[in-house]
């Protein structure tokens, strides 16, 4: 079975999924408390689905 590609999510997709305001997500990014992101050459930011799930997992462990 071929490995599925790791989906690249936009910031609006991520904030809709986790249910936080845009300002909160950007504050987390600024404080380096959010999921790791990738800045593309055109300036767009993407978050890998696997990274988002890993990050959420760390929050569950800390709770």
């Amino acid at each position: 079975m071929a490995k599925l590609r790791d989906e690249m999510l936009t910031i609006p997709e991520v904030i809709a999924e986790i249910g936080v305001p845009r300002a909160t997500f950007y504050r987390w990014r600024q404080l380096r408390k959010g999921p790791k992101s990738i800045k593309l050459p055109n300036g767009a930011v993407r978050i890998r689905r696997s990274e988002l799930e890993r990050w959420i997992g760390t929050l569950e462990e800390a709770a």
Side-chain angles (χ1 to χ4, degrees):
M1 178 184 252
K3 183 180 177 186
L4 297 176
R5 291 183 55 187
D6 198 1
E7 183 181 11
M8 302 280 278
L9 303 169
T10 64
I11 289 177
E13 290 171 330
V14 171
I15 61 176
E17 187 165 324
I18 63 176
V20 299
R22 179 181 288 266
T24 298
F25 184 80
Y26 278 105
R27 187 171 59 248
W28 289 347
R29 280 194 72 217
Q30 183 180 24
L31 297 172
R32 300 198 187 285
K33 292 189 176 196
K36 293 179 185 175
S37 57
I38 300 165
K39 190 166 188 176
L40 302 175
N42 66 357
V45 175
R46 298 288 185 270
I47 294 104
R48 292 185 191 276
R49 163 85 47 206
S50 61
E51 172 56 22
L52 178 62
E53 291 173 0
R54 183 207 62 79
W55 177 74
I56 290 171
T58 65
L59 298 176
E60 291 174 347
E61 292 170 9

